[in-house]
Amino acid sequence: QDGVSAPITVKGRLVFAMQPSDTDVGHAVKVVVHVQDSQGRRVETCDTLIAVAIKPQSPSMSLGGGKSTRMCHAGEVAFDDLFIDTPGAGYVLTATAKDLTGIVESCESKPFTMTARLIIVQEPRDMQVGALFAVGVKVQAANGEDVNTAAPHVSLSLSREAAGGVLKQVVNGIITKRAMRGEASFQELSVEVPGTGYVLIATSESSFIASARSAPFAVHGALAFTT
C-alpha cells in the first residue's frame, strides 16, 4: 500500500461523504471522502493524497481491488473499486492524510457488513427409505465465485411441505460442520420416513451468510416382496 504524502494544503478534517453500505463479497465497496473545514464545507482548494484502509479488529484486514491511496482533487476523492473477500459484520474503514504540520488527520466510517450465500452443490435425488446420500455445501458470492476465506458452521435440516405447514423430519448423521476453505461436506445421511416434497435446507450460524434450499425430492418406501 502506498504511503501518505502531499500534505493537506488547507487545514481541514476528513469525513466519509458517502459511507460504505452492506455489500456482497463479490461486489465492490464504494466510498467518497471529503476534506471539510470547521463549518462542514468541502475545501475545494485542497489537493492531497488520502489513504483508505480497514480498521484493525475488523473481521479481515485484506483490502483488494483498486489503489487504496488516491489523490484528492478539490477536496474530494472516490474509491469505487475496492474489494473485501471475507464475509463478516462490523467492518470499519479509515481514511488518513497529513496536514501542513505533518500531523496525521483521520476519520472512520460507520460499521458495515460483507455478505455471502450458501449453495448446495451436491443435491439429493429421489431415493429409497434409509438409503445413504452425501451433500456438499459451499459459500459463494453473488457473482458465483467461491468464497474460500469463509469458515462458518453450516447446518443441514430437512423439511417437507404438507397441507398443515412445514413438517420437520430428522436427517441422520452429523448435520452441523465447520466449512473449510468455504466448503462443508456431509456424508452418510439418510431419511427414514417416506414422502414427497422433501427439501434440504443449509443454514449458517452467521446472519450475513444467506441460507440455501435444495430442489424437492422424494423418499420412497421400502419394497415389499411376497412369496
Side-chain angles (χ1 to χ4, degrees):
Q1 178 174 303
D2 300 332
V4 177
S5 58
I8 297 173
T9 54
V10 176
K11 180 68 176 179
R13 61 176 183 173
L14 299 179
V15 298
F16 280 93
M18 184 176 80
Q19 294 280 350
S21 59
D22 294 350
T23 305
D24 182 89
V25 291
H27 296 158
V29 176
K30 301 179 180 182
V31 297
V32 175
V33 180
H34 281 182
V35 180
Q36 292 184 350
D37 62 19
S38 59
Q39 303 300 315
R41 297 170 297 196
R42 180 157 57 95
V43 182
E44 297 184 359
T45 57
C46 178
D47 294 332
T48 188
L49 283 174
I50 294 179
V52 167
I54 299 175
K55 182 182 179 180
Q57 286 78 54
S58 292
S60 169
M61 294 300 295
S62 176
L63 183 63
K67 291 184 177 180
S68 57
T69 299
R70 300 183 184 182
M71 181 61 71
C72 164
H73 296 291
E76 179 179 84
V77 60
F79 298 83
D80 58 3
D81 56 357
L82 303 176
F83 284 85
I84 300 174
D85 62 4
T86 302
Y91 278 99
V92 174
L93 295 180
T94 62
T96 309
K98 291 181 180 179
D99 68 10
L100 284 171
T101 65
I103 297 176
V104 173
E105 299 285 344
S106 65
C107 66
E108 295 183 359
S109 73
K110 295 180 180 179
F112 62 100
T113 299
M114 299 302 299
T115 62
R117 63 180 182 177
L118 297 177
I119 65 162
I120 299 175
V121 294
Q122 186 181 347
E123 296 200 0
R125 299 179 179 180
D126 292 357
M127 66 185 75
Q128 295 293 321
V129 164
L132 298 181
F133 65 98
V135 171
V137 180
K138 284 187 175 183
V139 183
Q140 279 194 348
N143 61 8
E145 293 185 359
D146 293 343
V147 182
N148 296 328
T149 57
H153 284 95
V154 177
S155 297
L156 286 182
S157 61
L158 184 68
S159 70
R160 177 185 171 196
E161 298 300 328
V166 177
L167 175 65
K168 295 291 184 181
Q169 294 289 346
V170 175
V171 179
N172 295 329
I174 300 173
I175 58 172
T176 298
K177 287 193 174 183
R178 185 70 176 265
M180 302 298 293
R181 294 185 57 80
E183 184 172 5
S185 179
F186 298 84
Q187 305 291 330
E188 298 186 344
L189 304 175
S190 68
V191 181
E192 301 302 323
V193 179
T196 59
Y198 280 107
V199 174
L200 273 182
I201 302 174
T203 56
S204 167
E205 61 181 346
S206 305
S207 61
F208 44 80
I209 299 180
S211 61
R213 295 171 63 92
S214 75
F217 62 97
V219 178
H220 304 296
L223 295 177
F225 296 93
T226 60
T227 57

